[in-house]
């Protein structure tokens, strides 16, 4: 892992689709947005500042409801063509008998483009299905929620699935990071803070 560069704010795109759960999406947004800020407020440190700039990215900027009917108003859309340092795909609500391949073509294309532009791409829980569908996990180790391990292995046999692991950084320069169960977003958040902030 390279030494953290504390001189600049890291941009993070949180992918929002109708299938994401609000708890993970907004939990990631809340914690990542407060890194560096909360410390200054608690200690009075005048040099403390936000280390991450978290933004919710949707297919468009148009508001929609995610799982449970919770409203989401994306800050950016795919067509804004902004590059981001880190992309995170939260967990996705999927039926256990459904074929996930080709389900999110616009999102898969956007993720591939971000990865090609240098972004680190991460997933939480079932969000790894989208990374697999985008082709980023072929030949790589990855994890996912244990409850969809069989479905994942059936539709994405080229991925070296390690469902017993909570966090799996992989690929060149560890630019792909998958995390396991639904609460693993907290492990992913700590990993990203350590990676970028020390």
């Amino acid at each position: 892992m390279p030494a953290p560069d504390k001189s600049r704010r890291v941009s993070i795109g949180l992918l929002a689709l109708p299938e994401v759960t609000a708890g993970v999406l907004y939990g990631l947004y809340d914690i990542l947005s407060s890194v560096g800020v909360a410390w200054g407020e608690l200690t009075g440190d005048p040099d403390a500042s936000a280390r991450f700039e978290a933004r919710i990215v949707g297919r468009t900027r148009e508001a929609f409801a995610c799982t449970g009917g919770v409203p989401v108003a994306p800050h950016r859309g795919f067509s804004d063509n902004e590059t981001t340092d880190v992309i995170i795909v939260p967990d996705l609500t999927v039926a256990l008998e459904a074929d996930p391949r080709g389900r999110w073509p616009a999102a898969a294309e956007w993720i591939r483009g971000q990865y090609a532009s240098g972004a680190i791409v991460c997933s939480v829980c079932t969000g790894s299905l989208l990374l697999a569908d985008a082709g980023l996990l072929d030949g790589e180790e990855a994890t996912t929620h244990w409850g969809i391990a069989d479905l994942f292995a059936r539709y994405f046999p080229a991925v070296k699935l390690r469902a017993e692991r909570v966090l799996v950084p992989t690929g060149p320069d560890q630019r792909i990071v998958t995390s396991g169960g639904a609460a693993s977003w907290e492990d992913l958040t700590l990993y990203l803070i350590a990676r970028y902030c020390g």
Side-chain angles (χ1 to χ4, degrees), residues 115-184:
Y115 184 73
S117 296
I120 291 173
V121 178
C122 309
S123 66
V124 175
C125 188
T126 53
S128 59
L129 290 168
L130 181 47
L131 298 191
D133 192 42
L136 297 182
L137 299 179
D138 288 352
E140 302 290 350
E141 288 191 337
T143 191
T144 193
H145 191 285
W146 61 268
I148 66 152
D150 290 343
L151 176 138
F152 191 106
R154 179 168 55 252
Y155 290 111
F156 302 107
V159 180
K160 300 172 187 170
L161 188 60
R162 305 289 185 256
E164 74 283 0
R165 294 181 54 193
V166 172
L167 200 66
V168 178
T170 194
D173 299 321
Q174 297 186 333
R175 287 185 45 228
I176 301 171
V177 184
T178 54
S179 58
S184 66

Side-chain angles (χ1 to χ4, degrees), residues 59-149:
R59 190 163 185 258
T60 69
R61 291 185 184 212
E62 187 175 327
F64 63 91
C66 68
T67 300
V70 179
V72 177
H75 299 105
R76 295 189 174 95
F78 297 163
S79 64
D80 289 335
N81 294 321
E82 293 185 19
T83 56
T84 304
D85 296 316
V86 178
I87 301 299
I88 303 176
V89 180
D91 58 332
L92 299 166
T93 304
V94 293
L96 290 178
E97 67 280 356
D99 183 345
R101 295 173 299 180
R103 185 169 178 176
W104 306 280
E109 181 181 343
W110 179 75
I111 290 168
R112 281 191 298 271
Q114 290 290 320
Y115 184 73
S117 296
I120 291 173
V121 178
C122 309
S123 66
V124 175
C125 188
T126 53
S128 59
L129 290 168
L130 181 47
L131 298 191
D133 192 42
L136 297 182
L137 299 179
D138 288 352
E140 302 290 350
E141 288 191 337
T143 191
T144 193
H145 191 285
W146 61 268
I148 66 152

